[in-house]
Amino acid sequence: MAVLELVLRRAGRLAVTVFLITTIVFLTIRVIPGDPARTMAGMEATDQQIEAVRVRLGTDRPLGVQYAEWLWATARLDFGTSFFSNDRVIDLILQRFPLTALLALFSFLLALVVAIPVGVLAAVKRWTVWDGFGLLFAQVGMAIPGFWLGIMLLLLFSVHLGWLPLFGADTPLHWVLPVIALATERAAVLVRFIRSSMAEELEKEYVLAAEAKGFPPGRVFFGHALRNALLPVITIAGIQFGYLLGGAVIIEQVFSLPGLGRLFLSAIHGRDFPVIQGGVVFVAVVFSLTNFAADVLYALVNPRIRVD
């Protein structure tokens, strides 16, 4: 019952979060300087021609009417049609989203593969060279922007050494550098959390008792401490995966990947309101759903969970 109540509470918070996101996006887009009708009509268009475009786009109606229609359409995942291509926004997003999602997923898996052993080793070997290496990796990884790391990787491995392709997503080799560039910062964040959580578990009485009974260190560290240490990391990992989706949009620009990033950038340049609104809301909803799933998973695997 406690888990069910937690799920219901989190679902309520998710609904409120999505509502606030849609409202903020709608208002923010409309206070940004610029007029999509003037952009579509052209610089030489007359006022009558520009007004005719506004009528066709629906931007001539009162803001409250536009907002009500926007909320109702968003609830049905209907983000309208692009001002320039006349394609449905949701179709444009779904065409590009698989690549962005795969990039985020591969980066997330690489971040876990790196962060778990490095974080555990740093906790087990505290105040040694191994711990220093883990902390150094965490600090440097969080300090380096992903887009800058991506550019440096391109210059080194694609331009100077010629080992990997420069741009595109046609072969597995095309994915190597984008995944590394996107995963590094998230892995650094996870290393710190895993180290802290693992170190805390190693100080608990059940671990000390297991060591006193003569259990092998591997069984104590991995069979007992690590299993419990990873429980609070589940929620953090869910948040990091959400950040990867947002970061993937930027990394796609560096490596010229045909994902959501290129779609959003062209929409921003063209003042394509429906694509901008729909894209931001879509990514925000996916981010919120990821966090929601992480919270539910944590509640399921942790029998000690209590509803706040």
Side-chain angles (χ1 to χ4, degrees):
M1 181 60 70
V3 174
L4 178 60
E5 186 177 351
L6 175 69
V7 171
L8 293 177
R9 286 193 178 188
R10 293 293 189 271
R13 294 179 186 178
L14 174 63
V16 173
T17 301
V18 172
F19 171 76
L20 292 176
I21 289 171
T22 56
T23 302
I24 293 172
V25 169
F26 176 86
L27 295 176
T28 302
I29 292 298
R30 278 156 179 77
V31 300
I32 297 176
D35 186 352
R38 184 175 296 277
T39 301
M40 293 181 65
M43 299 301 297
E44 303 298 328
T46 64
D47 292 340
Q48 291 79 7
Q49 292 172 328
I50 295 174
E51 185 62 27
V53 175
R54 291 196 184 103
V55 172
R56 181 166 63 88
L57 299 178
T59 56
D60 63 315
R61 289 173 292 179
L63 192 62
V65 175
Q66 295 183 49
Y67 176 64
E69 292 179 349
W70 160 249
L71 285 181
W72 171 241
T74 301
R76 295 179 286 114
L77 293 180
D78 180 9
F79 301 122
T81 59
S82 169
F83 284 170
F84 296 95
S85 68
N86 289 324
D87 294 322
R88 294 177 68 241
V89 173
I90 188 63
D91 293 336
L92 294 174
I93 292 174
L94 293 180
Q95 289 172 5
R96 306 290 189 98
F97 180 66
L99 187 145
T100 302
L102 282 177
L103 177 59
L105 178 60
F106 292 153
S107 302
F108 180 69
L109 294 177
L110 177 60
L112 289 179
V113 168
V114 172
I116 291 178
V118 172
V120 171
L121 185 62
V124 173
K125 303 290 186 180
R126 273 178 297 173
W127 316 124
T128 65
V129 174
W130 296 108
D131 190 22
F133 169 77
L135 293 175
L136 178 63
F137 172 79
Q139 293 295 332
V140 174
M142 290 188 296
I144 297 178
F147 70 89
W148 184 87
L149 178 60
I151 294 173
M152 294 300 102
L153 292 174
L154 276 176
L155 291 175
L156 177 60
F157 293 102
S158 299
V159 177
H160 292 295
L161 298 178
W163 293 352
L164 295 170
L166 193 59
F167 299 122
D170 299 327
T171 67
L173 291 178
H174 284 90
W175 290 76
V176 174
L177 296 183
V179 168
I180 293 175
L182 186 58
T184 299
E185 183 178 0
R186 297 305 110 195
V189 174
L190 289 174
V191 163
R192 295 194 62 176
F193 279 104
I194 292 173
R195 177 190 180 276
S196 177
S197 181
M198 186 68 176
E200 182 179 348
E201 289 296 323
L202 292 176
E203 298 294 334
K204 292 185 177 179
E205 293 183 357
Y206 76 92
V207 174
L208 300 177
E211 292 176 339
K213 292 180 180 179
F215 288 172
R219 181 179 176 184
V220 175
F221 296 149
F222 300 103
H224 295 79
L226 179 60
R227 181 174 57 185
N228 293 323
L230 290 181
L231 287 178
V233 178
I234 292 176
T235 302
I236 302 301
I239 296 175
Q240 297 307 309
F241 181 75
Y243 282 132
L244 284 171
L245 285 173
V249 173
I250 300 175
I251 294 298
E252 287 171 3
Q253 296 304 309
V254 176
F255 293 92
S256 296
L257 300 176
L260 290 179
R262 186 175 299 178
L263 175 66
F264 294 163
L265 186 62
S266 62
I268 292 172
H269 286 167
R271 305 288 299 169
D272 197 340
F273 280 3
V275 176
I276 299 172
Q277 291 177 152
V280 173
V281 170
F282 182 84
V283 172
V285 169
V286 172
F287 183 94
S288 300
L289 287 174
T290 303
N291 293 338
F292 173 75
D295 288 341
V296 173
L297 178 61
Y298 178 66
L300 292 176
V301 300
N302 187 1
R304 298 170 297 178
I305 188 69
R306 297 192 303 271
V307 179
D308 297 331

